[in-house]
Amino acid sequence: MDLETFKKKAAEDESWAPGWDEIDAAFAAVYGDQEPAHYGTMMPSRAMFGGDQYLDGYSIFSSEKGYKHLVTYGLTELYTNEHSLGGEHSFWGYEMTIKLPYESAKECMWAVDMLSNLARYTNESKRYLEAYQFIGGNGESIQIGEESKITALVTVPDTEIAARDTLYGKVEFIQLVGVTETEFQEVRRDPALISQLVENLRVDYPDLVTDMARTKDYL
């Protein structure tokens, strides 16, 4: 889309959010016309208004495979911004996803808080995520207040949602996968082991669902 066409469309539709639409379209390719549970952040709490929230919202889809599929909105350019038109990457270039074996969206809210914290870290440290990285913690469960052997994360391209070329540049969907402390220590020692860990996990978790009840180590 050229600049003049972009400006015209933006003027005709003040609610147009081309980046947001791209995320919705990416998930519609998998989930059809499903209406996800959606949670928006309060306007005064958003960083652009002086708050500490760097994400505008989260959607939680229900997979026929028995898990919830979360996605963030806000690490890519969401709204009309002519200065971002035709970029190589849309803002940070990715949105985060995670898959959890829950029945209700309410059970996923701890993960929403975790995604919010990771987005804050990215924006404040200027360090973005890429596939096949690890994210360590303090050796305790990533679900604060709950006992679990899952203490850290690795990142992979989302197993179902493909990257997209958009008006603002490329958008990838980086899936977070919970790992045990033993697995984390191994991949921290040798990051090349992340790929092997992911392949081992796929045997029992083909869509790389984060199972907080998992006790088996895959490295």
Side-chain angles (χ1 to χ4, degrees):
M1 182 180 293
D2 61 56
L3 181 58
E4 290 307 311
T5 303
F6 180 88
K7 287 182 175 180
K8 182 179 179 181
K9 184 171 176 59
E12 292 173 346
D13 183 1
E14 293 183 355
S15 66
W16 185 38
W20 194 295
D21 291 346
E22 289 286 354
I23 299 170
D24 287 348
F27 275 74
V30 174
Y31 293 102
D33 60 1
Q34 180 183 141
E35 282 291 329
H38 185 78
Y39 300 88
T41 53
M42 299 293 291
M43 295 291 283
S45 68
R46 295 180 185 177
M48 69 178 68
F49 300 113
D52 64 351
Q53 297 297 311
Y54 288 89
L55 295 173
D56 288 16
Y58 314 79
S59 282
I60 303 176
F61 291 82
S62 297
S63 173
E64 294 179 349
K65 302 174 188 178
Y67 54 79
K68 298 298 185 187
H69 195 170
L70 287 67
V71 62
T72 61
Y73 291 76
L75 289 168
T76 57
E77 189 74 68
L78 299 178
Y79 308 110
T80 52
N81 184 350
E82 63 184 66
H83 300 294
S84 296
L85 193 64
E88 182 179 357
H89 300 284
S90 177
F91 193 27
W92 290 108
Y94 66 94
E95 296 289 351
M96 295 179 288
T97 72
I98 190 170
K99 298 172 182 176
L100 301 168
Y102 298 148
E103 294 184 3
S104 70
K106 185 177 180 180
E107 295 173 279
C108 300
M109 298 314 294
W110 68 267
V112 166
D113 291 338
M114 181 182 70
L115 295 171
S116 173
N117 290 336
L118 288 171
R120 185 179 304 113
Y121 172 78
T122 289
N123 280 273
E124 293 180 353
S125 69
K126 310 303 180 187
R127 297 181 66 180
Y128 57 88
L129 297 181
E130 296 180 284
Y132 303 105
Q133 293 179 326
F134 59 81
I135 304 168
N138 59 4
E140 298 181 0
S141 170
I142 59 172
Q143 184 177 0
I144 296 173
E146 297 293 331
E147 291 292 328
S148 174
K149 286 191 66 177
I150 305 302
T151 63
L153 301 159
V154 296
T155 59
V156 298
D158 192 282
T159 63
E160 296 167 287
I161 309 298
R164 299 175 71 84
D165 292 318
T166 76
L167 293 175
Y168 298 136
K170 189 173 183 179
V171 173
E172 297 180 276
F173 295 91
I174 300 295
Q175 183 175 334
L176 307 178
V177 183
V179 299
T180 67
E181 186 66 16
T182 297
E183 292 163 349
F184 166 64
Q185 294 299 337
E186 286 297 309
V187 300
R188 185 170 69 169
R189 179 182 60 81
D190 182 2
L193 289 172
I194 293 176
S195 294
Q196 184 61 57
L197 171 59
V198 168
E199 290 309 306
N200 293 349
L201 280 166
R202 283 183 186 273
V203 174
D204 293 323
Y205 300 93
D207 286 297
L208 299 178
V209 171
T210 292
D211 179 4
M212 296 302 294
R214 176 166 71 86
T215 58
K216 177 181 176 180
D217 294 317
Y218 284 78
L219 274 181

